[in-house]
Amino acid sequence: LFEAMSALELMDPKMDGDHEPTVDVATRVATGALRFELSSAELSAVLERLLVCLVSWFDGGSLAETLFTCLYLHQPALAHLHLLREQAGATASSPLVALLAAVTTVLRTVGLQRKAVIQADIYEEEDFCPGLFGFATAPEVTDDAMRALCAEAEERAAQDGASDRTAADRLLPLLRWFRALHDACATLADVRKGSVESGANEAREAIRDATKQ
């Protein structure tokens, strides 16, 4: 009874003195509360935290409690990122391009990883949570467009590395790792009956490439 009453108290403004009204992502984007122009150091911190959330999801956490605690993965923020990139064109800042590339790559990776695990049907409920909870994991961008975006982000980070050690030492390796992990998951998701051995070998090679980044 005590545990039940404690659960009922959480998030209830009448009982929970620390509870604050939740502001949705669309409102944060519209009011400017969610920043999109970040420094290399700030972006590296965001991506490092995103990597921690990704690992937590791999370990059995739900998307809602792991990856989608990062507001940049939500549709309103992703749409605004695309808008900022289109408006700025070639003058878009390197961190903005890198953020868009990383967010797009991670979302596609989640969709591919989920597809691979569900197709294999080898998981227990406590080991993997396939539920999407209404979140979108398939950004409306082609594979070629995503790879071009990743290549641009990595090239810019490499160029910035000459004067910005954060871009060279923290940001660039993260961008390369996210792309390599996406390639590994794409290989796993494409494995079919009759080609399991060759597909598994390709996936292992892609995973080795990811761990080298």
Side-chain angles (χ1 to χ4, degrees):
L1 179 60
F2 174 79
E3 292 180 355
M5 287 300 297
S6 297
L8 290 173
E9 290 174 2
L10 294 176
M11 307 298 289
D12 187 336
K14 295 180 181 178
M15 302 182 187
D16 188 351
D18 293 328
H19 173 65
E20 296 182 1
T22 302
V23 180
D24 61 39
V25 179
T27 301
R28 291 174 184 267
V29 171
T31 60
L34 183 60
R35 294 173 53 223
F36 291 91
E37 289 295 343
L38 307 174
S39 67
S40 295
E42 290 172 329
L43 178 56
S44 296
V46 169
L47 298 189
E48 286 166 357
R49 180 59 186 169
L50 189 58
L51 179 57
V52 171
C53 291
L54 184 61
V55 172
S56 296
W57 180 60
F58 286 160
D59 283 342
S62 70
L63 282 173
E65 296 174 317
T66 56
L67 279 165
F68 280 94
T69 59
C70 177
L71 301 186
Y72 294 110
L73 293 181
H74 291 245
Q75 189 58 38
L78 183 59
H80 192 66
L81 271 172
H82 279 288
L83 178 62
L84 291 175
R85 171 64 196 280
E86 291 175 2
Q87 291 176 340
T91 63
S93 67
S94 296
L96 179 67
V97 174
L99 177 59
L100 178 57
V103 167
T104 303
T105 304
V106 168
L107 284 172
R108 288 174 63 93
T109 299
V110 168
L112 291 167
Q113 176 73 2
R114 179 175 177 272
K115 176 183 176 182
V117 174
I118 291 176
Q119 282 184 167
D121 193 22
I122 56 172
Y123 66 93
E124 299 292 341
E125 290 183 359
E126 63 271 19
D127 296 327
F128 185 74
C129 181
L132 294 177
F133 302 93
F135 294 115
T137 61
E140 296 180 359
V141 59
T142 65
D143 190 62
D144 289 341
M146 187 211 73
R147 292 183 182 282
L149 183 61
C150 290
E152 180 184 355
E154 291 174 26
E155 182 180 357
R156 285 188 175 212
Q159 292 173 349
D160 293 345
S163 59
D164 183 354
R165 294 311 307 170
T166 297
D169 298 337
R170 293 176 63 188
L171 183 56
L172 183 57
L174 284 165
L175 292 172
R176 287 174 173 169
W177 192 89
F178 281 129
R179 174 180 50 78
L181 179 63
H182 169 274
D183 292 344
C185 290
T187 303
L188 287 172
D190 286 340
V191 172
R192 296 290 184 272
K193 290 183 178 179
S195 62
V196 174
E197 184 174 352
S198 61
N201 289 334
E202 292 178 7
R204 291 190 189 96
E205 185 62 32
I207 290 171
R208 280 194 289 270
D209 289 341
T211 57
K212 292 176 183 177
Q213 301 303 322

